[in-house]
Amino acid sequence: MRLIIFCLLLIGIVSCKSEDPLKTRNFYKVEITPLQQDSLLNIRALEVVRSEGVGMFATSSGSLGHVYPINHPKLYPDQETQMSGGIYSKLKHDTLMINIRAMALTSKGMHYITIGSPALIYKQAKSVKKVTYSETHPKAFYDSMDFWNDDEGIAIGDPTDNCMSIIITRDSGESWTKLSCDDLPKAKEGEAAFAASDTNIAIIGDHTWVATGGKSSRILYSPDKGKTWDVFDTPIIQGKATTGIYSIDFYDEKNGFAIGGDYTKPNDTLQNKMRTIDGGKTWKIVASGKGPSYRSCVQYVPNSKGKELVAIGFKGIDYSNDFGDSWTHLSDEGFYTIRFLNDSTAFAAGKGRISKLTFRE
């Protein structure tokens, strides 16, 4: 089964930004179908193979899992059950407790990064799993990971010196190099990032945006796949260790959205949502005092021309079809992270479960 799933990955990695012409929707409800439920599950790392409808996830205890359509003709041609999957492997490293909050998939393998020290990156290609990066700095704490293409990828973490930690691979994740603080913007006091949903990084083509949070919450930007960097201030709520941007997404090179707040004050709605139309150079607060409060993840709905967004967190699910200016609360069901399979279906994961979300007009 592991080989089958990996073969699906080889043929199925598709960008979240693929376009099919569709009219603007107005979702008024979401149907939630539980796929995996276990009180011990804690999932913040989630990716999808959109062409196959397969979801891949990793847990805070190092377990790796998948959910997939069991009636897929390549897998189970004689069965008609809707969905299946489960835990299929577990990462181990000596006696360490492995906690995965970020992952990335390419056609050449699956990559997972742990939080805490030592920071470890695992690469899995077919049935072979190996550690491709290790960092033992006591302050090491990586929050998010993404790839520009099959060969080049990036992971970001909290500062261990006077800049955010950024590591890059140019050889399909076989090795990683940490960027020098001489080549990065200097971090401000109390500036870090949140390992809440593996959405601190947004990539469109060669363009990369990294969201920081805490006492200072800013956007690091690279136009050239991490070779050079700039930094932009934001108006989002900040000033405490628990405030700032928790999630960022870009629809194209110009239009992006970020959400967050303060998870210790999960009902506050002031200054926790913001939008850019100039590639992240400037940001405007939207829907302050209304709409979703603290949320850990925001994603653009595919094929929506950048108008539609879904925000998700442990306080529920919210939807906007006007670029984030107004929001509809769809559910109180709590999750940590979400990834769209298509323009009306997504996987969402969180504490104790992973579910299929179907958005209805």
Side-chain angles (χ1 to χ4, degrees):
M1 179 57 68
R2 296 181 207 169
L3 181 58
I4 293 174
I5 294 297
F6 185 76
C7 289
L8 289 177
L9 292 173
L10 290 177
I11 63 175
I13 300 294
V14 177
S15 168
C16 289
K17 305 302 185 291
S18 57
E19 287 289 339
D20 294 312
L22 290 175
K23 67 180 181 66
T24 299
R25 292 161 290 273
N26 184 16
F27 297 136
Y28 69 94
K29 70 175 182 178
V30 59
E31 297 174 359
I32 301 174
T33 305
L35 303 176
Q36 299 291 322
Q37 295 188 89
D38 187 321
S39 61
L40 298 180
L41 280 178
N42 190 326
I43 305 170
R44 299 177 187 268
L46 174 66
E47 295 292 342
V48 296
V49 185
R50 293 184 60 191
S51 63
E52 300 294 339
V54 176
M56 311 294 291
F57 63 89
T59 75
S60 61
S61 61
S63 296
L64 312 179
H66 57 260
V67 285
Y68 54 87
I70 200 170
N71 60 343
H72 193 291
K74 295 178 183 176
L75 296 176
Y76 298 97
D78 300 323
Q79 300 188 35
E80 297 180 356
T81 311
Q82 274 194 330
M83 301 291 295
S84 189
I87 301 296
Y88 66 84
S89 184
K90 189 175 179 67
L91 298 177
K92 297 179 181 179
H93 187 80
D94 299 328
T95 59
L96 292 176
M97 175 68 72
I98 300 298
N99 189 333
I100 305 293
R101 296 198 188 181
M103 63 183 290
L105 310 181
T106 75
S107 65
K108 295 184 178 181
M110 297 176 275
H111 309 267
Y112 310 90
I113 190 166
T114 66
I115 62 170
S117 180
L120 304 170
I121 293 182
Y122 291 82
K123 178 180 179 180
Q124 179 177 3
K126 296 184 179 179
S127 60
V128 177
K129 292 191 287 286
K130 59 183 178 180
V131 175
T132 57
Y133 180 79
S134 177
E135 184 177 337
T136 57
H137 194 287
K139 293 182 179 179
F141 195 105
Y142 282 87
D143 306 281
S144 191
M145 173 186 282
D146 207 343
F147 272 67
W148 293 285
N149 51 52
D150 283 347
D151 296 321
E152 297 173 290
I154 179 174
I156 68 103
D158 297 350
T160 57
D161 195 356
N162 63 348
C163 66
M164 294 294 292
S165 295
I166 296 183
I167 55 176
I168 288 179
T169 181
R170 308 286 185 191
D171 59 4
S172 307
E174 290 295 313
S175 64
W176 295 78
T177 300
K178 188 169 185 176
L179 298 186
S180 168
C181 284
D182 293 338
D183 300 320
L184 290 170
K186 297 298 183 286
K188 292 188 175 181
E189 181 181 357
E191 185 175 20
F194 299 111
S197 63
D198 192 16
T199 50
N200 307 77
I201 303 170
I203 288 176
I204 299 290
D206 293 349
H207 300 267
T208 310
W209 298 266
V210 171
T212 71
K215 293 183 178 180
S216 182
S217 188
R218 302 186 294 172
I219 300 295
L220 277 63
Y221 168 69
S222 172
D224 50 15
K225 293 186 290 187
K227 295 180 178 67
T228 61
W229 291 88
D230 202 347
V231 64
F232 306 118
D233 292 329
T234 78
I236 202 163
I237 186 171
Q238 51 198 285
K240 295 170 53 181
T242 54
T243 57
I245 305 167
Y246 279 73
S247 179
I248 187 172
D249 195 21
F250 269 73
Y251 192 80
D252 52 35
E253 293 179 6
K254 296 296 184 183
N255 295 282
F257 200 90
I259 202 165
D262 184 346
Y263 80 88
T264 67
K265 297 180 178 180
N267 296 318
D268 285 3
T269 59
L270 294 174
Q271 291 182 253
N272 72 316
K273 301 167 287 290
M274 63 182 189
R275 180 177 65 225
T276 181
I277 59 173
D278 60 6
K281 296 179 179 65
T282 61
W283 294 81
K284 176 186 177 183
I285 293 291
V286 297
S288 185
K290 55 186 178 180
S293 54
Y294 163 79
R295 293 294 183 268
S296 55
C297 187
V298 66
Q299 295 283 279
Y300 280 101
V301 179
N303 306 319
S304 67
K305 302 186 185 301
K307 295 181 180 179
E308 297 178 64
L309 295 141
V310 169
I312 204 164
F314 63 76
K315 297 291 286 186
I317 303 168
D318 298 86
Y319 164 76
S320 173
N321 70 347
D322 58 4
F323 304 98
D325 285 330
S326 65
W327 294 81
T328 300
H329 185 65
L330 299 180
S331 174
D332 290 333
E333 295 289 332
F335 295 92
Y336 295 145
T337 193
I338 182 174
R339 298 294 185 278
F340 275 92
L341 288 169
N342 53 48
D343 52 71
S344 60
T345 308
F347 289 134
K351 184 174 176 57
R353 60 181 170 163
I354 180 169
S355 299
K356 176 185 174 183
L357 307 188
T358 304
F359 295 89
R360 300 295 189 188
E361 295 184 70

